Amino acid sequence: MAAKRRILIAGNWKMNGLKKDARSLAGALGTKMSKLKAKPQSKPEFEMLVCPPAALLGPVVDAVKGKGIAVGGQDCHANEAGAHTGDTSAALLKSMGCKYAIVGHSERRTDHGETDAMVKAKAEAAHKAGLSAIVCIGETLKQREAGRAKSTNKKQLAGSLPAGATAKNTVIAYEPVWAIGTGKVATPEQAQEVHALIRAELAKAIGEAEAAKMRILYGGSMKPGNAAELLALPDVDGGLIGGAALTVADFWGIAQAV
Ligand code: PGA
């Protein structure tokens, strides 16, 4: 039945920070994580991940080396290499030291017209390169108000879930678009309802055992003040955090809520 899933606290820095900011933020988190690991009884109950802008991957990987913090890309291209100016391949992310790639964030779906099929292809490219894909889905306010929150998430999940998805290579992030960067957070009831739906849909797609092990993150205005309540929900296995991932106090505060 209830599988033990390791909480993932993932920071999505989006297009924020310069080289010096990235170094100091990652460095400070690394110091905190090292201190936590050094305490005999306090092996971190969570996995920490930071996803900086692509150009800052190098300095961030260096800053967290050996500190027990994973690094991820915010996107990857579906192709392995080639004439795709400005894009980043999953293989390059891997070679830089990344473990994860976020795919299908709603800002990419909106800014770059990414469809479910494109998101699925990107997630499969991430797998091929040896990365875990964090596949984002979530409804808009309009869809929620029209009573279509469940059907929207079901459709996006079905369309974006990579072939061969397992609990090891895939994480789902439920991010209601109306909660991203708005300060409006989903209520525990709203979050749990969609997370449970996602797990039930995953069970149909990849089998109950694998679905029970797969992590489903909540994203959208998660802060130290609301994290404990959200992270305690039965089907919430971590957070994908934007604004609050940009300061040590907030991001560490969320991790402390685990
Ligand atoms: P937010 O962003 O925490 O600033 O709402 C979350 C996200 O977009 O991943």
Side-chain angles (χ1 to χ4, degrees):
M1 274 282 303
K4 182 119 175 68
R5 297 177 291 264
R6 188 148 187 244
I7 296 279
L8 177 61
I9 300 296
N12 173 13
W13 294 3
K14 308 192 180 183
M15 198 175 73
N16 292 299
L18 307 179
K19 193 170 168 184
K20 63 174 184 358
D21 310 315
R23 274 205 186 119
S24 74
L25 177 53
L29 290 170
T31 305
K32 287 206 171 284
M33 206 63 177
S34 301
K35 278 194 189 145
L36 185 61
K37 282 199 301 180
K39 290 188 192 157
Q41 264 104 33
S42 68
K43 185 177 180 294
E45 293 289 312
F46 58 90
E47 180 182 1
M48 181 169 274
L49 165 69
V50 290
C51 301
L56 296 176
L57 285 169
V60 169
V61 166
D62 287 345
V64 301
K65 201 161 272 169
K67 310 279 189 198
I69 297 179
V71 180
Q74 296 177 8
D75 174 51
C76 67
H77 197 276
N79 291 3
E80 279 182 54
H84 303 289
T85 304
D87 279 312
T88 306
S89 74
L92 173 57
L93 294 179
K94 177 77 179 174
S95 78
M96 293 300 291
C98 288
K99 196 170 164 199
Y100 290 90
I102 299 171
V103 294
H105 190 282
S106 72
E107 285 149 18
R108 301 239 16 128
R109 291 176 185 261
T110 306
D111 293 357
H112 301 272
E114 292 186 6
T115 62
D116 289 336
M118 287 161 74
V119 174
K120 178 177 193 275
K122 285 172 180 236
E124 288 167 0
H127 289 173
K128 201 165 174 201
L131 299 171
S132 290
I134 300 179
V135 180
C136 303
I137 60 171
E139 82 285 357
T140 62
L141 185 60
K142 205 168 154 207
Q143 287 164 329
R144 178 161 282 273
E145 286 178 346
R148 299 201 335 261
K150 283 185 164 184
S151 58
T152 302
N153 283 291
K154 247 168 118 164
K155 184 166 169 280
Q156 284 186 14
L157 182 68
S160 312
L161 192 70
T166 66
K168 264 220 165 93
N169 66 22
T170 306
V171 174
I172 307 297
Y174 166 55
E175 298 205 302
V177 179
W178 49 271
I180 295 177
T182 58
K184 275 187 217 150
V185 64
T187 64
E189 294 72 28
Q190 286 171 330
Q192 174 55 28
E193 184 182 38
V194 177
H195 280 239
L197 169 88
I198 291 171
R199 201 172 307 282
E201 291 302 308
L202 285 172
K204 288 186 220 161
I206 59 172
E208 213 159 305
E210 211 54 39
K213 287 189 278 179
M214 191 173 282
R215 292 180 292 185
I216 307 173
L217 312 183
Y218 168 81
S221 299
M222 193 183 261
K223 304 265 182 294
N226 58 33
E229 195 175 26
L230 289 161
L231 295 172
L233 296 168
D235 287 296
V236 174
D237 309 310
L240 184 55
I241 299 131
L246 297 174
T247 66
V248 182
D250 282 345
F251 197 52
W252 194 254
I254 291 172
Q256 293 300 96
V258 173

